[in-house]
Amino acid sequence: MATYYPLKAGNSWTFQNNDGSTFTNKVEAEDNGTFSMSNSLVPHLTQVKKDGNTLYTDSYEAGNLQPFLKEDAATGDAWEIKYKANTIDSVLSVVVKSTGGTKEVGDKTYSDVMEMEGVMSFIVNGSVFNAGTKYQWYYAKDVGLILTTSTLGDNMPLISCSI
């Protein structure tokens, strides 16, 4: 079955940062449908769990599984990722901008791409404040995440993967 995030122990994805340095995300192990993931820039493992067509992660806040990708999402679908960042309640409002398109990243053109956008907000004393930051994620079927960009100037393309 085609998937936007092929999870299997040993799979890895290497991305480039703006400064030319790289980092690698790797599936370390699976335990009953929950995958332990490493990121070469982070000292601890994160968890990814697939439930039906929805993938959850605790990479935003340890122990707090939140939906980050819906494999059957259609353009316009939306959901929220709620977590604490430095004790501040935070919400990332995610909207699917398109599905099924192509995206050129580096010297490769990927097909069957889902483009998602996330808008960052903070909740202080019950009031929502837009942080003014937007993220874009591009996932290609049978490959995974191929590009992350943001209004903060992030541009993290996939440079290699082992699936």
Side-chain angles (χ1 to χ4, degrees), residues 91 93 120-131:
V91 178
S93 299
M120 184 76 216
S121 298
F122 302 111
I123 301 170
V124 180
N125 296 328
S127 298
V128 177
F129 295 92
N130 185 326

Side-chain angles (χ1 to χ4, degrees), residues 127-138:
S127 298
V128 177
F129 295 92
N130 185 326
T133 305
K134 285 185 182 177
Y135 297 90
Q136 294 80 32
W137 302 281
Y138 299 86

Side-chain angles (χ1 to χ4, degrees), residues 60-61 64 81-85 88-92 120:
Y60 292 92
E61 178 185 5
N64 176 11
I81 299 170
K82 297 178 180 181
Y83 61 101
K84 285 192 183 295
I88 298 171
D89 288 323
S90 303
V91 178
L92 200 49
M120 184 76 216

